[in-house]
Amino acid sequence: MNISQAAQRSGLTAKALRYYESIHLLSPKRAGNGYRDYSERDLETLHFIRRARAVGFTVDEVRSLLVLHHNPSRRSHDAKALVEEKLTHIEAQLRDLREMRGALRRLADSCAGDESPECAILDSLCGGVCDG
Amino acid sequence: MNISQAAQRSGLTAKALRYYESIHLLSPKRAGNGYRDYSERDLETLHFIRRARAVGFTVDEVRSLLVLHHNPSRRSHDAKALVEEKLTHIEAQLRDLREMRGALRRLADSCAGDESPECAILDSLCGGVCDG
DNA sequence: TCTTGACCTTCCCCTTGCGGTAATCTTTAA
DNA sequence: TTAAAGATTACCGCAAGGGGAAGGTCAAGA
C-alpha cells in the first residue's frame, strides 16, 4: 500500500514514516514508479513503533525493542529490562515535574494577581535582591 | 566581571551566557579587549533566568518574565497569568507521564523476565496480531 | 488527448537550549 | 620569552519530525 494509507492505518504521519525509513527502523519495498510500498508486515512494525513511542520510548529504544521482537532466540528478561529502565527514567521525570509544580504553586499563591506592580513572583525569581 | 566568573556566580555555564546574549535576553558591556563585562545587574538577570528555567519556563517565557520584571508599570496579574499557564502545562505533562508509567508498569508486570523468548511486552506492543 | 488535481518523491531549513570543537586573540604567570 | 589559561566567533550536532519547495506520477473528466 502507498504511504498515505500506511500512515492512516498506523496512526502515524507520512512524514514520520519517511523518517523511520531514513533511520532504518524499517525498509518498505519500492514500487516500479519509486513509490514506497508497505506490506502488512511493515504495517505491524509501524503499529509496534507507534505503541512503543506512545508509552515513552525514544526511537533508539524502539530500535532495540524491534531487534528483540525480530529475534526468535531473545530472552524476555532483556525486554523487561528495557521497560524497567524506561520506568525508572519516567519516575525521575515525574519527580522533577512535581518539584516544579510545587514551586510554581508557591509562586502563584504568593502573588496577589492584581493591577499593582508589586509582584512576589518576580521578586522571588530575582532572589529578593533586585530593586526592579 | 568576565564571563567565567559570571557563569560561576550565576550557576550557569559560559556557553549558556553567550547563548542568552545571542538571543538578546541580556546585553553585557564589552571591555576594550572585546571581552564581555558583566555588571552586578547583569548577574541579577542571570540569577533570574536560572531560577525561572529551574521551575520549567522556556527561554521565551523567561523573556516575557524579564519584560515584566523591568517594567515598573506592570501588573502582577500578568506575571501570575504566566505562572498559572505554565502550571497548567506542567500538570498536563504530569498526566501524560503518569499514564505512561501506568502502561509501562502493566507491561513489566505482564512479563516473566526470564530466559524464555516468550514475552508479553513485545506481544502487547505488537497489538497481539504479530507472529514474531 | 489534454488537463487538472491528488498523490508521490527528494531536499533543505526550522524547532529547543545549549554542548563540543576549531581557529584565533589576550592576558597572565613563570 | 613562552606557555598556559581564558576569551572571542563560528559552525555542527542532538530528537523527532513539521513545513514547504521543486518536480515526477497517476487517475478521472471534458
Side-chain angles (χ1 to χ4, degrees), chain A residues 37-81:
Chain A
D37 184 13
Y38 290 86
S39 67
E40 289 298 322
R41 190 137 199 280
D42 290 329
L43 201 61
E44 287 175 6
T45 300
L46 291 173
H47 275 291
F48 187 104
I49 295 172
R50 186 174 61 77
R51 290 202 178 86
R53 295 280 297 125
V55 296
F57 287 107
T58 66
V59 291
D60 230 54
E61 291 161 344
V62 174
R63 189 195 310 283
S64 303
L65 287 167
L66 279 172
V67 166
L68 289 178
H69 179 57
H70 292 134
N71 177 8
S73 63
R74 73 202 175 209
R75 284 160 295 192
S76 73
H77 172 80
D78 295 336
K80 189 164 184 171

Side-chain angles (χ1 to χ4, degrees), chain A residues 24-125:
Chain A
H24 309 107
L25 275 193
L26 79 169
S27 302
K29 279 188 321 190
R30 295 300 179 118
N33 55 13
Y35 286 18
R36 290 171 181 81
D37 184 13
Y38 290 86
S39 67
E40 289 298 322
R41 190 137 199 280
D42 290 329
L43 201 61
E44 287 175 6
T45 300
L46 291 173
H47 275 291
F48 187 104
I49 295 172
R50 186 174 61 77
R51 290 202 178 86
R53 295 280 297 125
V55 296
F57 287 107
T58 66
V59 291
D60 230 54
E61 291 161 344
V62 174
R63 189 195 310 283
S64 303
L65 287 167
L66 279 172
V67 166
L68 289 178
H69 179 57
H70 292 134
N71 177 8
S73 63
R74 73 202 175 209
R75 284 160 295 192
S76 73
H77 172 80
D78 295 336
K80 189 164 184 171
L82 288 173
V83 169
E84 285 174 343
E85 189 181 348
K86 176 53 61 175
L87 207 37
T88 299
H89 182 232
I90 283 191
E91 278 162 355
Q93 285 184 263
L94 277 167
R95 276 194 298 278
D96 290 348
L97 280 177
R98 276 194 291 261
E99 251 185 74
M100 289 183 193
R101 181 184 57 182
L104 287 169
R105 280 181 177 163
R106 283 189 292 278
L107 284 175
D109 288 350
S110 72
C111 176
D114 56 18
E115 306 295 308
S116 145
E118 190 181 350
C119 179
I121 291 169
L122 300 171
D123 290 351
S124 176
L125 287 177

Side-chain angles (χ1 to χ4, degrees), chain B:
Chain B
M1 77 198 81
N2 279 346
I3 195 169
S4 61
Q5 262 224 325
Q8 195 189 351
R9 288 185 56 190
S10 65
L12 297 165
T13 65
K15 206 70 176 167
L17 267 57
R18 294 196 187 95
Y19 174 65
Y20 295 150
E21 182 180 359
S22 80
I23 61 171
H24 310 106
L25 275 193
L26 79 170
S27 303
K29 280 187 322 193
R30 294 300 180 120
N33 55 13
Y35 286 17
R36 290 170 180 82
D37 184 12
Y38 290 86
S39 68
E40 290 298 323
R41 191 137 198 280
D42 291 329
L43 201 61
E44 287 175 6
T45 300
L46 292 173
H47 275 290
F48 188 103
I49 295 171
R50 185 174 62 77
R51 290 202 180 85
R53 296 278 299 125
V55 297
F57 286 107
T58 66
V59 290
D60 230 54
E61 291 161 344
V62 174
R63 189 194 312 282
S64 302
L65 288 166
L66 280 172
V67 166
L68 289 178
H69 180 56
H70 293 133
N71 177 8
S73 64
R74 73 199 174 210
R75 284 162 294 195
S76 72
H77 171 81
D78 295 337
K80 190 164 183 169
L82 288 173
V83 169
E84 285 174 344
E85 190 181 346
K86 176 54 60 175
L87 206 37
T88 299
H89 182 232
I90 284 190
E91 278 162 356
Q93 286 185 263
L94 277 167
R95 275 194 298 278
D96 290 348
L97 280 177
R98 276 194 293 261
E99 253 186 71
M100 289 183 193
R101 183 185 54 184
L104 287 169
R105 279 181 177 163
R106 282 189 293 278
L107 284 176
D109 288 350
S110 71
C111 175
D114 55 19
E115 305 296 308
S116 143
E118 190 181 351
C119 178
I121 291 168
L122 299 172
D123 289 352
S124 175
L125 287 177
C126 205
V129 296
C130 296
D131 345 304

